[in-house]
């Protein structure tokens, strides 16, 4: 709990993976931190399929055993024709118990010295005409002000505070994936092998997924390009998908909806003395829609940058370091998705055949996503033509 009139080095808005990671790394490196989270219970409700690569998680946190629902050892990819391609990749990643992980990361921040205020909604910034001096928030119906040298905006896809910063939060409709997901008990799954289903009938502009969680449970979801909903809801696509693919009896345990920004990162992640973290900075992977790893990473780099800025370095090292690590990958993935969503089901089947030929049934210890895209795109004549925009980024 905060003490009155205290000036923090950093106020973090949002206790998701991005905000928790930022608070932890800033506090661990000596900054006085306060994290505000509007929810009463961290991580609840969940809006995620909980998949993450091993490297994505472990470059920021050593996972505790109870953060992991299952280990991922490969994947099944389903082309629209129904052909299934299996890729083996031991130790590829995890399906998380994200609610536990999120709470634990904020707990680790508290242990490192951060103050945590739940049920606290940031509503505006304190601005002196030159820099931001903190935030205005509502804590259990009471208006409060928290003063800070730096602010980290890690509020996910809630755009209201981006607006207050004077930034344009607009996401083009086709760069916005609208998702629906059920936690389901009783459908047949292959433990350790998340499944991905492509097709313009199944999930136009996106894909459907089945992520096994162990103990007979799975996260079954669908993401559809906003512009391709055609008056339907994402949940309509999800119900159709489950109905057509699973004839066994199943029970829905949780219902989840959410939006994933796949437009690629904002040009700048530092705005005066405010840093944009995770989905607030649109650093979610545009190809997969996965955003946990980049939220953790951007939070880590931002937290470290605050500690350095307190000793005189430029806060911009946050965005410089982030783009040095992730800029090219995000750009390639953004363009690759743009290409993928223009393909007909016939072309997706042809692409599936190429993936099958190169990767099907084989075991890999690492897959570089840029090399993967390069290999499969360059083997398909029409995609090669479409991919000419990608060429400079692929060969950079
Ligand atoms: C259906 C679905 C499935 C997904 N599946 C995956 C997946 O399998 N793997 C993956 O990597 N990614 C997945 N994602 C994306 C992933 O969930 C996000 O990219 C990730 O959560 C981003 O983390 P974040 O910390 O930036 O934001 P969030 O996780 O959204 O956290 C933001 C936090 O800020 C709080 N907040 C917001 N506004 C305020 C305010 N004004 N004041 C105080 N607190 C505030 C919120 O309550 C929330 O706790 C999925 C997304 C959806 C919608």
């Amino acid at each position: 709990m905060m003490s009155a009139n205290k000036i923090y080095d950093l106020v973090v808005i949002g206790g998701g993976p991005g905000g928790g990671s930022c608070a932890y790394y800033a506090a661990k490196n000596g900054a006085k931190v306060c994290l505000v989270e509007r929810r009463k219970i961290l991580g609840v409700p969940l809006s995620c399929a909980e998949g993450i690569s091993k490297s994505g998680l472990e470059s920021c946190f050593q996972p505790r055993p109870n953060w992991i629902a299952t280990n991922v050892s490969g994947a099944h990819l389903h082309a629209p024709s129904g052909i299934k391609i299996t890729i083996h990749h031991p130790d590829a990643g995890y399906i998380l118990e994200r609610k536990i992980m999120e709470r634990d990361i904020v707990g680790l921040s508290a242990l490192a010295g951060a103050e945590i205020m739940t049920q606290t909604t940031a509503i505006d910034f304190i601005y002196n005409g030159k820099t931001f001096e903190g935030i205005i928030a509502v804590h259990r119906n009471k208006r409060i002000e928290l003063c800070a040298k730096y602010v980290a905006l890690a509020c996910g896809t809630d755009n209201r505070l981006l607006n207050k910063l004077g930034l344009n939060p607009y996401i083009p409709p086709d760069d916005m994936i609208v998702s629906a997901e059920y936690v389901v008990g009783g459908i047949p799954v292959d433990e350790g092998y998340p499944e991905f289903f492509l097709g313009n009938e199944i999930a136009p502009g996106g894909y459907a997924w089945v992520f096994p969680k162990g103990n007979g449970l799975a996260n079954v979801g669908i993401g559809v390009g906003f512009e391709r909903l055609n008056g339907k809801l994402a949940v309509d696509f999800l119900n159709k998908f489950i109905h057509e693919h699973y004839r066994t009896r199943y029970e829905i345990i949780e219902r989840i909806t959410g939006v994933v920004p796949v437009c690629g990162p904002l040009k700048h992640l530092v705005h005066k003395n405010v840093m944009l973290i995770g989905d607030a900075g649109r650093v979610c992977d545009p190809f997969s829609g996965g955003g946990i790893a980049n939220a953790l990473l951007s939070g880590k780099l931002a937290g470290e940058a605050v500690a350095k800025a307190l000793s005189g370095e430029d806060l911009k090292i946050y965005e410089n370091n982030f783009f040095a690590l992730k800029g090219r990958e995000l750009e390639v993935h953004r363009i690759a998705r743009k290409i993928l969503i223009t393909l007909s089901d016939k072309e997706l089947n042809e692409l599936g055949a190429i993936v099958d030929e190169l990767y099907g049934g084989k075991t890999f210890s690492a897959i570089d996503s840029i090399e993967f895209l390069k290999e499969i795109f360059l083997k398909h004549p029409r995609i090669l033509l479409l991919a000419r925009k990608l060429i400079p980024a692929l060969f950079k």
Side-chain angles (χ1 to χ4, degrees), residues 248-259:
T248 51
R249 180 186 161 269
Y250 59 84
E251 289 298 324
I252 297 168
I253 290 163
E254 276 180 61
R255 291 176 157 80
I256 290 159
T257 54
V259 168

Side-chain angles (χ1 to χ4, degrees), residues 31-321:
K32 262 187 282 172
V33 179
C34 180
L35 180 148
V36 300
E37 165 56 53
R38 67 183 171 194
R39 292 171 175 171
K40 195 171 179 177
I41 303 176
L42 288 156
V44 179
L46 177 74
S47 186
C48 191
E50 304 175 286
I52 191 167
S53 68
K54 189 176 161 73
S55 57
L57 177 57
E58 294 184 4
S59 59
C60 297
F61 290 94
Q62 201 46 48
R64 293 176 174 169
N66 62 350
W67 295 7
I68 310 299
T70 53
N71 290 294
V72 172
S73 310
H76 298 305
L77 312 177
H78 298 259
S81 61
I83 286 177
K84 179 163 106 176
I85 303 142
T86 299
I87 301 174
H88 304 287
H89 184 341
D91 285 333
Y94 306 107
I95 307 300
L96 296 166
E97 290 294 352
R98 184 173 149 173
K99 291 174 197 163
I100 297 175
M101 182 189 83
E102 223 166 289
R103 189 200 56 192
D104 270 9
I105 290 177
V106 173
L108 287 170
S109 322
L111 285 176
E115 295 178 22
I116 312 296
M117 297 182 74
T118 53
Q119 292 177 276
T120 306
T121 304
I123 54 168
D124 208 344
F125 296 92
I126 306 168
Y127 186 54
N128 66 13
K130 272 193 186 155
T131 57
F132 296 92
E133 295 186 328
I135 65 161
I136 301 165
V138 176
H139 174 65
R140 295 187 195 156
N141 295 325
K142 198 174 146 216
R143 188 182 184 279
I144 58 167
E145 293 191 358
L146 298 173
C147 296
K149 294 175 191 152
Y150 302 101
V151 178
L153 186 57
C155 58
T157 49
D158 186 326
N159 288 329
R160 282 170 287 192
L161 288 167
L162 276 182
N163 260 323
K164 297 270 184 190
L165 281 178
L167 300 176
N168 178 3
Y170 176 74
I171 303 172
D174 228 25
D175 285 340
M176 194 155 55
I177 298 287
V178 185
S179 302
E181 181 183 272
Y182 297 145
V183 181
V184 174
I187 63 162
V189 291
D190 187 6
E191 290 297 345
Y193 284 76
E195 304 196 50
F196 300 87
F197 298 77
L198 285 177
N200 290 297
E201 287 296 316
I202 295 174
Y207 60 86
W209 64 83
V210 176
F211 286 6
K213 281 206 69 173
N215 299 320
L217 296 179
N219 293 333
V220 182
I222 212 153
V224 178
F226 179 77
E227 224 169 44
R228 296 161 195 236
L229 285 166
N230 278 334
K232 290 192 210 149
L233 300 171
V235 75
D236 298 330
F237 287 89
L238 178 59
N239 289 335
K240 183 167 177 276
F241 168 74
I242 297 186
H243 178 73
E244 286 175 0
H245 286 79
Y246 299 99
R247 297 293 163 149
T248 51
R249 180 186 161 269
Y250 59 84
E251 289 298 324
I252 297 168
I253 290 163
E254 276 180 61
R255 291 176 157 80
I256 290 159
T257 54
V259 168
V260 183
V262 288
C263 48
L266 297 180
K267 195 165 169 213
H268 292 290
L269 299 177
V270 176
H271 180 68
K272 297 183 192 285
N273 55 333
V274 178
M275 299 169 295
L276 307 177
I277 318 288
D279 280 4
R282 317 294 190 229
V283 301
C284 181
D285 186 316
F287 194 70
S288 67
I292 307 171
N294 283 349
L296 292 172
L297 178 68
S298 60
K300 175 182 176 177
L301 297 176
E304 290 172 345
V306 163
K308 289 191 178 138
L310 290 169
S311 2
E313 281 199 47
D314 190 335
L315 194 66
K316 283 265 176 197
I317 52 164
Y318 159 48
E319 73 176 40
N320 294 343
N321 287 343

Side-chain angles (χ1 to χ4, degrees), residues 331-347:
E331 181 58 4
V332 170
H333 287 190
R334 188 184 68 78
I335 303 172
R337 175 180 177 271
K338 291 268 177 216
I339 293 169
L340 205 68
I341 62 174
T342 65
L343 301 183
S344 65
D345 278 1
K346 180 172 169 285
E347 288 165 330

